[in-house]
Amino acid sequence: MSVSLQAPPAKSPVPQPPPAARRAGLLTPWILLLPGLLWLVVFFLVPILTSVGASVQTGNADQGYRLTWDWGNYGHGLSDYLPQYGHSLLYSVLCTVFCLLLGYPVAYCIAFRGGRFKSLLMALVVVPSFTSFLIRTIAWKTILSDNGPIVSVLNDLHVLNATTAMGWTVGNHVLASPAAVVFGMVYNFLPFMILPLYTSLEKIDPRLHEAGSDLYCDTFATWRRVTLPLSMPGVVGGTLLTFIPAVGDYINAQLLGNPNTGVVGQKIEDLFLRQTDGYPVGSAISVVLMAGTLILVLLYIRKAGTEDLI
Amino acid sequence: MSSNDVLGRGTGGDLRLAGLTKRFGSFTAVDHLDLTIPQGSFFALLGASGCGKTTTLRMVSGLEAPSEGRIFLGDDDVTERKPHRRPVNTVFQNYALFPHLDVYENVAFGLRRRGIKDVKQQVADMLDLVELGHLARRRPSQLSGGQQQRIALARALINQPQVLLLDEPLGALDLKLRRQMQIELKRIQTEVGLTFVHVTHDQEEAMTMADTIAVMNSGRIEQMGSPADLYENPGTTFVANFLGQSNLIPGTVEGVRGDVVTVTAHGQRLTLPADRCRTDTGAVILGVRPEKVRLAPAGSALPPGVNALAGGVVSDASFIGVSTQYLVRLPSGEELAVFEQNTGCEIQRPGTEVVVHWDPSQSFGLDGSQDIEAGADLDEESAA
């Protein structure tokens, strides 16, 4: 069937706006999109392409860099910094897991038991972020220091012997160890886990809990069969919001770790800011980090089956 | 079914509430309720919002712990039992279907929880019963209100509970669908033969479905009986006003002769059967339902032995097809409602002088010390 755009105007039941207004109506979404698109192109797409370009260049700061399509930068980067990739992945996965284990009960309690204090409690979760990330992390140096309360308690309980044997702490210290790095990361990223968890838990109708217990679920079974599946969007959101920044984080490793806890972020910083010929390899390892994170996230989302979630 | 399975499902029996009380702080929601609901009956708890009917239901399901009193199922005291250990299931007011599960899994939920492996046949049968077998793989959010309601019913019924609790199950449906579901619910109840306890504020809904209605007011049962019983012979002004509409006329008992009580109201003599009068001395409130009252032109001859009030003037007449609803203002200023069936008789215009009359056996007498308006506004409120 052919559609005539020139319908007889007299018979048109709905008065049409004048053509100029109609055109403006079609343009409006694009006009609204434009600032955001421009921002993304200039500050996201261009830098990424620049990084990819830089990763196949050769040269140094004095003589300048030339595009030589030297894919060897990737080989060097990967073989030289494999342990750091391993650390980044291990620490960020551990950080995400601990954040989930610590954050879920907090978000659950605030969402279902918070009553009129809900907003206040959520504000308290966020309040520490008003202090600089750096200062908060440095503060952990004091808390975890050898004469601090945590170390003395752990020492008294002989926990440190065990953790040292496993390689998580060093001697009788907590500071400057993998444990301290993960500690710091968990502390810093916990709000990013709690916020999306709280949002999805808070949306769950408490009457569904009653329906669960009416249909033979005890408290745990209700959580397992009703609450958990319904909070999966929050779990997926929270783990992504924690994992993605955690995998690139290097401040915690820098301040709370030791030379053996190096992560990729530290090496990228080092190559870019302290080496005279570091740009190509630095770019290569950051491109690998980005691509690797992207692949992991895609696999995870696929596995978590978010399309099945509410 | 075994005589005593995991849920402590006994051999069945009546649901019995003994001195059941629930206090929230200083507010008493349910006040020493004593009630026996026979097995297999369709029982309605009827009352305005805040009368304690939902709280009573929640105590039976275990979602609310009573402050005092016991709950028995047959011979078992289930008062202390957790909700998931009671052979009782609920159809929630907002249905509370699990949004992450499809219709099939929602219905299968209780069976699976009880460790029943082969649920296929039972779920299919149950979906057939509520006529929604073709929607088994839909999500609740993809269903209409009426369909969700039936799934909620199926999800509860499939567990063959000893008592099925329905908390305003039709409240969210539009009028037409509500009528249809009332018939449906009644059919299903007759078919499965379980005890249904139905909480509602809609008196018509309660009357349509229930075998027995308990009218609740301020945490107590005002009156209990069959729908016809409550309607024809209300025991209090609250029931008379809340359940349908009543003309209530304050008067004084003149005397009792045999099984006839004589009352004077507005200076006129009225009679009623003694077994329909709840007081035999002093102040009385004489009631009569609007559809029992007839109009006659002033001065015309009345059938012998009727109760008649003369000197009324028609103040309003609304023709609504099956009947004409009149308001008749008596010389005392009181207005009586009269529903005259449309049998072809002439409509009386406002301003016409009339005599209202009715068969004495249709009147009822209530204790005169009560608030004559009790329950009247509540009905309008909940009907809205």
Side-chain angles (χ1 to χ4, degrees):
Chain A
M1 196 181 89
S2 76
V3 178
S4 166
L5 287 174
Q6 258 106 38
K11 284 186 182 170
S12 169
V14 181
Q16 294 293 317
R22 218 178 312 162
R23 217 175 305 131
L26 288 174
L27 276 176
T28 311
W30 293 102
I31 294 170
L32 290 173
L33 267 178
L34 197 66
L37 276 178
L38 266 179
W39 178 275
L40 281 176
V41 167
V42 175
F43 297 108
F44 184 74
L45 198 60
V46 171
I48 284 187
L49 293 176
T50 312
S51 300
V52 174
S55 71
V56 288
Q57 289 178 342
T58 322
N60 59 46
D62 298 332
Q63 291 157 358
Y65 293 98
R66 281 174 302 107
L67 185 65
T68 54
W69 299 103
D70 182 4
W71 296 98
N73 291 330
Y74 283 89
H76 288 301
L78 274 174
S79 61
D80 292 354
Y81 302 117
L82 203 56
Q84 282 78 15
Y85 276 113
H87 291 154
S88 283
L89 187 63
L90 179 65
Y91 298 161
S92 53
V93 167
L94 282 174
C95 164
T96 309
V97 170
F98 284 127
C99 280
L100 184 59
L101 293 179
L102 289 172
Y104 200 107
V106 173
Y108 185 97
C109 288
I110 297 176
F112 295 121
R113 304 269 184 274
R116 61 204 173 90
F117 296 111
K118 271 185 195 175
S119 308
L120 177 70
L121 291 168
M122 280 317 288
L124 288 178
V125 169
V126 186
V127 155
S129 317
F130 286 100
T131 313
S132 145
F133 180 68
L134 212 57
I135 291 174
R136 279 179 289 137
T137 311
I138 291 169
W140 275 99
K141 287 184 119 164
T142 320
I143 300 169
L144 296 178
S145 66
D146 291 347
N147 43 19
I150 291 183
V151 171
S152 63
V153 169
L154 291 179
N155 252 329
D156 291 346
L157 296 173
H158 302 286
V159 172
L160 289 182
N161 293 338
T163 52
T164 297
M166 288 188 287
W168 283 104
T169 50
V170 181
N172 283 332
H173 318 288
V174 174
L175 215 53
S177 72
V181 176
V182 175
F183 229 113
M185 288 170 81
V186 169
Y187 166 72
N188 278 310
F189 291 115
L190 195 55
F192 297 96
M193 180 65 84
I194 294 178
L195 283 170
L197 278 175
Y198 170 77
T199 311
S200 71
L201 285 166
E202 215 266 333
K203 273 193 293 196
I204 298 176
D205 187 344
R207 284 173 290 198
L208 293 176
H209 293 167
E210 296 189 342
S213 66
D214 189 67
L215 292 162
Y216 320 115
C217 289
D218 55 23
T219 312
F220 179 77
T222 301
W223 175 77
R224 174 71 193 79
R225 305 272 158 215
V226 180
T227 318
L228 181 62
L230 287 173
S231 63
M232 275 317 278
V235 172
V236 173
T239 45
L240 288 180
L241 277 184
T242 307
F243 177 76
I244 295 171
V247 82
D249 171 78
Y250 65 97
I251 299 289
N252 290 288
Q254 190 108 315
L255 295 176
L256 304 172
N258 62 32
N260 298 322
T261 62
V263 293
V264 183
Q266 280 174 292
K267 291 300 156 190
I268 294 171
E269 189 220 12
D270 184 53
L271 284 165
F272 271 95
L273 302 181
R274 284 186 256 286
Q275 309 285 330
T276 52
D277 57 353
Y279 276 26
V281 176
S283 298
I285 61 174
S286 63
V287 168
V288 169
L289 182 66
M290 271 191 288
T293 310
L294 186 66
I295 291 168
L296 286 177
V297 166
L298 289 178
L299 285 175
Y300 174 68
I301 291 177
R302 200 135 178 212
K303 188 93 182 146
T306 35
E307 80 280 357
D308 210 35
L309 304 168
I310 314 295
Chain B
M1 200 158 300
S2 67
S3 67
N4 228 321
D5 64 10
V6 268
L7 292 168
R9 201 188 307 247
T11 43
D14 304 345
L15 170 65
R16 193 156 59 84
L17 312 180
L20 201 64
T21 302
K22 179 67 186 182
R23 281 183 285 268
F24 296 104
S26 61
F27 173 70
T28 306
V30 178
D31 197 0
H32 289 93
L33 206 62
D34 289 302
L35 186 61
T36 301
I37 299 173
Q39 190 181 8
S41 63
F42 199 133
F43 190 92
L45 277 174
L46 175 66
S49 59
C51 73
K53 58 192 193 299
T54 296
T55 308
T56 307
L57 199 75
R58 288 172 62 83
M59 287 192 281
V60 175
S61 67
L63 295 171
E64 207 82 66
S67 312
E68 265 172 54
R70 315 301 300 173
I71 301 164
F72 298 93
L73 273 171
D75 299 326
D76 297 332
D77 183 344
V78 299
T79 318
E80 308 294 332
R81 239 190 259 170
K82 294 264 186 234
H84 67 276
R85 311 279 308 160
R86 296 188 189 196
V88 168
N89 292 105
T90 308
V91 177
F92 291 88
Q93 184 168 13
N94 65 338
Y95 318 136
L97 295 173
F98 301 123
H100 59 297
L101 301 175
D102 62 19
V103 163
Y104 183 96
E105 285 304 321
N106 262 286
V107 175
F109 194 91
L111 294 182
R112 292 203 196 283
R113 286 302 308 151
R114 275 153 53 207
I116 296 165
K117 286 282 176 289
D118 192 23
V119 300
K120 213 169 165 187
Q121 193 55 47
Q122 287 194 62
V123 174
D125 289 347
M126 194 44 72
L127 286 175
D128 282 346
L129 183 72
V130 297
E131 292 163 351
L132 287 176
H134 57 294
L135 298 178
R137 289 300 163 198
R138 294 275 187 90
R139 287 292 173 85
S141 56
Q142 297 168 300
L143 303 181
S144 71
Q147 290 167 336
Q148 291 189 29
Q149 203 283 329
R150 280 186 275 170
I151 295 306
L153 180 66
R155 184 180 68 172
L157 266 184
I158 197 167
N159 305 298
Q160 300 269 349
Q162 229 166 294
V163 178
L164 183 79
L165 305 172
L166 302 116
D167 184 9
E168 301 264 8
L170 309 180
L173 305 180
D174 63 57
L175 193 67
K176 202 173 157 203
L177 200 52
R178 203 150 64 204
R179 296 269 179 282
Q180 195 184 323
M181 285 306 301
Q182 286 169 7
I183 297 165
E184 191 91 333
L185 267 178
K186 184 69 195 163
R187 171 184 72 84
I188 289 170
Q189 195 265 340
T190 317
E191 210 164 312
V192 296
L194 299 172
T195 311
F196 278 33
V197 180
H198 178 201
V199 153
T200 183
H201 66 260
D202 181 341
Q203 41 113 353
E204 211 173 313
E205 188 173 303
M207 301 235 267
T208 314
M209 294 193 285
D211 314 322
T212 311
I213 298 176
V215 179
M216 275 189 86
N217 182 26
S218 313
R220 289 172 170 279
I221 289 183
E222 194 88 11
Q223 194 181 352
M224 199 166 105
S226 73
D229 226 24
L230 292 187
Y231 187 81
E232 300 299 349
N233 199 1
T236 63
T237 54
F238 182 89
V239 175
N241 287 321
F242 189 74
L243 208 70
Q245 212 177 322
S246 291
N247 292 309
L248 297 178
I249 307 157
T252 318
V253 175
E254 288 299 313
V256 186
R257 194 171 306 135
D259 53 2
V260 175
V261 182
T262 309
V263 172
T264 46
H266 305 314
Q268 309 190 49
R269 238 189 87 223
L270 304 169
T271 59
L272 72 156
D275 61 351
R276 289 172 64 87
C277 192
R278 307 214 173 219
T279 177
D280 52 12
T281 167
V284 66
I285 293 170
L286 190 133
V288 62
R289 298 286 188 182
E291 72 279 8
K292 323 273 197 206
V293 184
R294 299 259 171 282
L295 293 183
S300 63
L302 297 174
V306 296
N307 280 338
L309 290 170
V313 175
V314 174
S315 59
D316 186 57
S318 17
F319 176 71
I320 56 162
V322 292
S323 63
T324 306
Q325 305 195 349
Y326 294 99
L327 280 177
V328 176
R329 187 181 295 278
L330 297 178
S332 58
E334 193 178 349
E335 278 194 322
L336 294 190
V338 180
F339 298 167
E340 194 133 90
Q341 198 72 8
N342 181 5
T343 49
C345 50
E346 200 187 328
I347 294 171
Q348 308 283 347
R349 301 268 155 222
T352 316
E353 271 195 42
V354 290
V355 180
V356 294
H357 62 94
W358 65 91
D359 185 338
S361 68
Q362 304 283 13
S363 29
F364 49 86
L366 306 173
D367 180 357
S369 63
Q370 306 172 73
D371 174 11
I372 202 161
E373 301 280 343
D377 337 329
L378 292 172
D379 187 36
E380 278 160 33
E381 192 180 288
S382 51

